[in-house]
Amino acid sequence: LALNYLGFRIAMFFFALLVPRIIGRQPPAVTVGIALLASFGVGHVFERWLGVSLPEPAFEALKDLGF
């Protein structure tokens, strides 16, 4: 549901941010770093290397920022 509004990168960031905090005891800095790498790294691989278009955000402000 969030994917339709926030786009892939932001939705993936929040998913990758919340899951480790729920199931493990990672320090917040490590969790944020992993979430950033996961969301933008996976997005880059799928869009640039594999040529797969991922969902874009529904909000124009997020599109203008490059998400």
Side-chain angles (χ1 to χ4, degrees):
L1 183 63
L3 191 62
N4 295 332
Y5 296 104
L6 298 177
F8 176 80
R9 285 187 174 96
I10 296 175
M12 176 69 175
F13 173 76
F14 285 121
F15 176 77
L17 185 68
L18 293 175
V19 169
R21 296 294 300 163
I22 291 170
I23 63 173
R25 296 178 187 239
Q26 297 292 331
V30 172
T31 304
V32 170
I34 291 171
L36 282 172
L37 286 174
S39 61
F40 289 94
V42 170
H44 182 77
V45 167
F46 271 88
E47 288 184 343
R48 304 287 185 228
W49 294 352
L50 300 176
V52 176
S53 62
L54 297 171
E56 294 184 4
F59 302 111
E60 290 297 323
L62 293 176
K63 286 182 186 177
D64 292 341
L65 291 173
F67 292 107

